[in-house]
Amino acid sequence: MAFIDLNNYFLKAESKGLSPATYGVVLSFFRFVMLVFGPIFGVYMEKIGLKRAFVIGVFLNGISPVLFGLLDFVDSYTPYLILSLLLRGFEGFGAILFLCSMFMMSTTVFHGRVAMSFAILQTVFLVGNSIGPLLGSLLNSSFGYAAPYILFGILQMITSVLAAWTLPKDTLNTSSSISNSLRGYLEILKIPSVAIFIYACGVSGTGPEFLTAILEPNLRQVLIENHRKKFKKKLLNKSQMIGYLY
């Protein structure tokens, strides 16, 4: 549910002078940080520790939305852009940290039911992605821009504390025919089926991320052009909900 109300961020970003191309970079920077640190965490996860990585990652993902909500108080173009990039990068760092540990933990704790555990994790993740933006839009309409970010950020920080208390100790087993090093990634890419799978995941992920940046601005422009001004705000909130449900 961390992706709570990015469309309202688009509105704020444009009010600060950012163009769709510029805040598109802000969105992409989140994934770029995950791309850079994903292989590194995969190699050094045994030294970091699964439980420690998960707790720290979730906690960082809680701090980031809270600070992101406070961006409303930054008025200048350049500071707003720099802070947006830093916070999105910070959030991406935490996200890839807990995602790597989460999937590795599934293979060790539920080693007899890996497929089922992955399916449950993905289902819960998608449910959160569906509910979060809708709730974020409602909270934004009722309590203001910062409310959804602060609320869900605090909930994530509470989750990290509960995870530290309830998760089992690390049982990571790195013994494998492929070395647990950066060279191991190159060895994996030599397997044709794995390379094709990675390529397919990359291509399929491009569409939704591209849509995230352009859907709301286009819907908003259409509604503004085709409806009277006094209904604009009400219709805009509805257009955001339609985009989230899509």
Side-chain angles (χ1 to χ4, degrees):
M1 298 173 74
F3 305 99
I4 42 181
D5 204 10
L6 284 177
N7 283 351
N8 281 316
Y9 168 74
F10 299 156
L11 294 175
K12 287 293 180 181
E14 289 189 1
S15 69
K16 309 293 183 181
L18 275 66
S19 66
T22 306
Y23 57 67
V25 173
V26 174
L27 296 182
S28 299
F29 192 64
F30 173 83
R31 301 295 183 183
F32 175 76
V33 171
M34 295 180 69
L35 174 66
V36 171
F37 285 98
I40 298 175
F41 288 149
V43 171
Y44 295 104
M45 187 59 68
E46 184 178 15
K47 295 181 179 179
I48 299 172
L50 290 178
K51 183 175 180 178
R52 182 184 296 109
F54 186 88
V55 172
I56 294 175
V58 175
F59 188 78
L60 292 179
N61 257 23
I63 295 177
S64 299
V66 174
L67 298 177
F68 212 76
L70 299 178
L71 282 178
D72 191 29
F73 298 101
V74 180
D75 295 324
S76 300
Y77 174 90
T78 302
Y80 188 86
L81 175 59
I82 293 174
L83 289 173
S84 294
L85 286 170
L86 289 176
L87 289 176
R88 284 292 286 175
F90 191 62
E91 186 178 3
F93 182 87
I96 194 60
L97 187 59
F98 93 79
L99 283 174
C100 283
S101 60
M102 178 181 68
F103 287 119
M104 289 184 180
M105 199 177 297
S106 298
T107 62
T108 55
V109 177
F110 305 102
H111 57 274
R113 298 181 177 180
V114 175
M116 180 179 293
S117 66
F118 272 41
I120 293 173
L121 287 173
Q122 288 295 330
T123 301
V124 173
F125 187 75
L126 292 174
V127 169
N129 278 349
S130 301
I131 297 175
L134 181 58
L135 292 178
S137 182
L138 294 173
L139 287 170
N140 178 80
S141 300
S142 302
F143 303 104
Y145 171 79
Y149 293 100
I150 293 175
L151 175 61
F152 286 107
I154 292 173
L155 288 177
Q156 282 189 289
M157 286 188 280
I158 294 174
T159 301
S160 69
V161 175
L162 294 176
W165 181 43
T166 58
L167 286 179
K169 295 182 179 180
D170 291 352
T171 56
L172 184 59
N173 180 14
T174 57
S175 59
S176 174
S177 60
I178 298 177
S179 61
N180 187 33
S181 65
L182 291 174
R183 183 180 298 178
Y185 286 99
L186 298 178
E187 295 179 20
I188 292 175
L189 290 175
K190 293 178 182 179
I191 304 174
S193 58
V194 174
I196 293 174
F197 177 77
I198 293 173
Y199 171 77
C201 288
V203 173
S204 62
T206 303
E209 295 301 321
F210 175 73
L211 184 65
T212 300
I214 67 170
L215 177 62
E216 188 275 337
N218 281 280
L219 276 176
R220 173 158 35 99
Q221 187 62 34
V222 170
L223 288 170
I224 289 174
E225 290 178 354
N226 292 279
H227 296 85
R228 290 182 296 176
K229 187 175 182 180
K230 65 178 181 178
F231 293 114
K232 181 172 64 175
K233 181 175 178 59
K234 181 178 178 180
L235 291 168
L236 178 57
N237 291 333
K238 289 184 177 180
S239 74
Q240 292 168 350
M241 293 183 186
I242 292 171
Y244 296 138
L245 291 174
Y246 177 82

